[in-house]
Amino acid sequence: MINRIKRRDFLSRGLTGLGLFAAGGLLRYQSLQAAAASSAPFASLETLGELQAPDANGVMLPPGFIARVVARSGEAPVGLPGYTWHPAPDGGACFATPDNGWIYVSNSEMRSNAGGVGALRFNSNGDVIDAYSILTNTSINCAGGATPWGTWLSCEEFAQGQVYECDPSGRQAARVRPALGSFKHEAVAVDMANQCLYLTEDEPDGALYRFRPAQALPYLDGGELEVASINERADGTFIEWLPVSDPRARSVPTRKQQANAAIFRGGEGIAMYAQKVYFTTKRDNRVWCYDASSQRLDVLYDFATSAEPILSGVDNVVITATGDVLVAEDAGDMQIVVLTPGNRIIPMVQIVGHATSEITGPAFDPGYQRLYFSSQRGTAGNSNGGITYEISYTG
């Protein structure tokens, strides 16, 4: 077996800053993404068939798709002794590597500084060839978001929670980003066109935030944190952004610092596609769409009013190369449900026998050939029972 340090040295060759992959890595990722839009099995999900009977892993999938387990909490990934997969796997993302493989990172939603982030590295054939930690000694790492410059933003979900910027290779130490606020962070999405980040807050009276850096991204050391305010007009609902005076919330919670801050009931996953920001709120089972260009806000899905109330317990979000919005369920029917551009609502995945768990961390590999996600508590129903899966297409 190749020494892990040597593998990571190779992976990080050419780094020019925290988490930046080898020269051309981002362009290669974007090229893969563009190619995937027309050819990959997960490029468009508009024509998915109905879920079939559960497989040996208890996973129900449409025809042509198969599942495998790639990691279990408390166990070393297959053939890789020395590192055990973390408990309570939560938010995740994939990152391209210079050898045409990829890394899947996954948060650990554990309390009392027992949380952090673990990583699985895959070669170009999809084999797991390494597993390691990229963040430790943090708490309740829930969701987060991938950056276009190749880092993972891991979010702590408690009142004074922080955001940590992590190098997926594990070569460089993670850095806390206090300018992104102190609050019950859930997830974050990066808007390169408008040079800002959007962040959700998991509180019953939570807010939606925007961070505008003082310098061009990837600079995150300082800037202005803002909170969304609703402006109802005859032509629709629009967002106005109001400054948060004390992002570190030394005396007043961030969401309370502006009297006109809009309330979003339990902010969860967030992701961007084509200048639109999609995010979920769990306490009213809604999926929202914010147009970053026009600043218009719409409800894409509402369980209470939908003609097809299939999706409930809305949580993490990931989007395909052609704009299908995948939403993972926290409880509900333990499904990943697709909201397509053609207004279809389609179950993509369902796990049987995980009644006290939730689906977390959905993420596509760079070529949209595979989908990764976890059952946070598995069939055991506790944090040590987490299971991480891979879905692929066989035709």
Side-chain angles (χ1 to χ4, degrees), residues 51-322:
L51 297 179
Q52 306 298 292
D55 64 10
N57 294 310
V59 182
M60 299 173 65
L61 295 165
F65 291 86
I66 60 171
R68 69 165 175 151
V69 173
V70 293
R72 294 179 184 271
S73 295
E75 297 182 11
V78 176
L80 297 170
Y83 177 80
T84 57
W85 196 235
H86 51 271
D90 207 291
C94 284
F95 299 86
T97 59
D99 59 349
N100 295 316
W102 58 92
I103 297 168
Y104 176 67
V105 302
S106 170
N107 282 347
S108 178
E109 196 182 23
M110 298 296 287
R111 300 178 181 275
S112 305
N113 294 323
V117 184
L120 295 173
R121 185 180 165 210
F122 297 82
N123 64 16
S124 59
N125 294 321
D127 303 315
V128 180
I129 59 171
D130 202 1
Y132 48 90
S133 175
I134 63 173
L135 177 66
T136 59
N137 300 317
T138 53
S139 297
I140 318 181
N141 296 78
C142 194
T147 71
W149 53 92
T151 61
W152 169 245
L153 298 175
S154 181
C155 296
E156 290 183 310
E157 189 190 26
F158 62 92
Q160 294 294 322
Q162 299 294 301
V163 177
Y164 290 81
E165 188 170 17
C166 307
D167 173 9
S169 75
R171 180 65 177 170
Q172 299 193 43
R175 293 182 59 185
V176 64
R177 297 300 189 185
L180 298 182
S182 298
F183 57 87
K184 201 173 182 181
H185 287 277
E186 178 69 30
V188 55
V190 179
D191 182 350
M192 290 298 288
N194 294 297
Q195 287 290 292
C196 64
L197 280 65
Y198 303 97
L199 305 100
T200 54
E201 181 178 29
D202 190 359
E203 294 276 12
D205 59 346
L208 177 68
Y209 297 90
R210 182 175 74 175
F211 173 75
R212 294 190 297 149
Q215 301 177 26
L217 293 171
Y219 182 83
L220 296 176
D221 286 335
E224 184 171 42
L225 186 67
E226 301 168 313
V227 65
S229 176
I230 295 297
N231 180 17
E232 296 287 0
R233 299 181 353 198
D235 57 340
T237 301
F238 294 82
I239 284 182
E240 294 179 355
W241 296 99
L242 307 175
V244 172
S245 59
D246 179 16
R248 299 200 183 199
R250 295 173 181 86
S251 58
V252 180
T254 49
R255 67 191 188 281
K256 303 293 187 183
Q257 292 180 26
Q258 283 284 356
N260 293 324
I263 292 175
F264 291 94
R265 301 183 57 205
E268 292 287 340
I270 190 168
M272 285 202 69
Y273 178 84
Q275 282 304 293
K276 292 185 178 179
V277 183
Y278 297 88
F279 64 98
T280 62
T281 48
K282 66 184 180 185
R283 294 178 183 271
D284 51 12
N285 268 312
R286 288 181 172 181
V287 181
W288 303 78
C289 178
Y290 168 65
D291 189 318
S293 299
S294 68
Q295 300 193 65
R296 181 185 174 108
L297 179 68
D298 290 291
V299 177
L300 182 66
Y301 171 87
D302 187 338
F303 180 83
T305 60
S306 175
E308 297 181 86
I310 296 170
L311 172 63
S312 64
V314 298
D315 205 316
N316 293 171
V317 176
V318 68
I319 303 177
T320 68
T322 54

